[in-house]
Amino acid sequence: MPTLPSWLADFLRGLTSPLARSAGRTGRSQPGHRSGRAAPRPTAPDEEFAQPGRTGPDATVEIDSHRIGPVRMTYHPNHDGDPDPGEIVWTWVPFEENDGRGKDRPVLVVAAEPAGTVLAVQLTSRDHDGERDFVPIGSGSWDGEHRPSWVNIERVLRVHPSGMRREAAALDGSNYARVEAALRQRYGWG
């Protein structure tokens, strides 16, 4: 019998617990408080494990983009189930406060790393027209409502292939080139 990935096994175990069934009716976890206390845990055990990239060794993390060494960016989307440069994929992304909270969101993969991880920058549909840290990329199938999107080049994320929830779309080459140029200018990447 094939072995299930640990996150899937944890998820399936969580579905059978009474707490998970009752939490499924409530829908969402409670927002964190700004009182200095730790953010509350998710309302259901399965909620934490159901999001690839959220915890463990395959968690998506923000990295110091000035200290990662040489970065070689290439446009090489390949709809094969793995995150490739030029693709927009979905993963769990920690909030900037780095307090344990975050959400599932699309990111643009910009470079592959020798260790098998990829570097990515997050997307947003909130209007950031004319802002220095945001590159407009238009709309596409990565957003169910086809809203215009921007790439936030201020935050660079390390994504593990097993931390990716799904491939969404390949960004067209001209928009990728604009994001690549902005990252080269900001970080001096090759």
Side-chain angles (χ1 to χ4, degrees):
M1 182 168 164
T3 304
L4 294 175
S6 62
W7 69 267
L8 181 56
D10 291 335
F11 172 74
L12 293 174
R13 273 193 298 277
L15 288 177
T16 60
S17 77
L19 179 59
R21 284 192 295 276
S22 66
R25 290 189 286 274
T26 62
R28 297 180 183 255
S29 61
Q30 298 298 314
H33 301 283
R34 296 200 177 265
S35 64
R37 293 182 301 207
R41 294 190 49 80
T43 57
D46 67 320
E47 190 175 339
E48 180 176 356
F49 297 107
Q51 297 173 320
R54 182 168 185 172
T55 60
D58 295 337
T60 299
V61 295
E62 184 173 357
I63 59 170
D64 184 345
S65 40
H66 295 285
R67 296 182 182 218
I68 59 173
V71 174
R72 184 171 167 259
M73 293 182 287
T74 58
Y75 179 74
H76 189 52
N78 182 15
H79 195 72
D80 59 358
D82 292 325
D84 301 302
E87 290 179 348
I88 295 171
V89 303
W90 284 77
T91 186
W92 189 86
V93 176
F95 289 156
E96 291 182 49
E97 295 82 7
N98 200 20
D99 61 3
R101 296 178 302 144
K103 72 179 200 177
D104 191 51
R105 65 182 311 136
V107 298
L108 171 63
V109 178
V110 294
E113 295 186 292
T117 54
V118 296
L119 300 177
V121 287
Q122 72 182 40
L123 273 66
T124 181
S125 59
R126 185 176 298 157
D127 190 333
H128 289 280
D129 208 25
E131 293 183 37
R132 181 179 85 92
D133 293 329
F134 293 85
V135 178
I137 59 168
S139 59
S141 61
W142 57 84
D143 182 285
E145 298 175 34
H146 295 282
R147 298 170 292 188
S149 297
W150 285 259
V151 171
N152 179 355
I153 63 168
E154 184 178 33
R155 294 184 76 203
V156 177
L157 305 163
R158 176 168 286 135
V159 179
H160 294 262
S162 60
M164 177 189 82
R165 183 170 59 87
R166 70 176 175 92
E167 286 178 292
L171 187 63
D172 65 90
S174 61
N175 275 318
Y176 178 85
R178 289 179 39 243
V179 172
E180 181 180 351
L183 289 166
R184 286 180 193 277
Q185 180 178 6
R186 182 172 183 129
Y187 301 114
W189 292 352

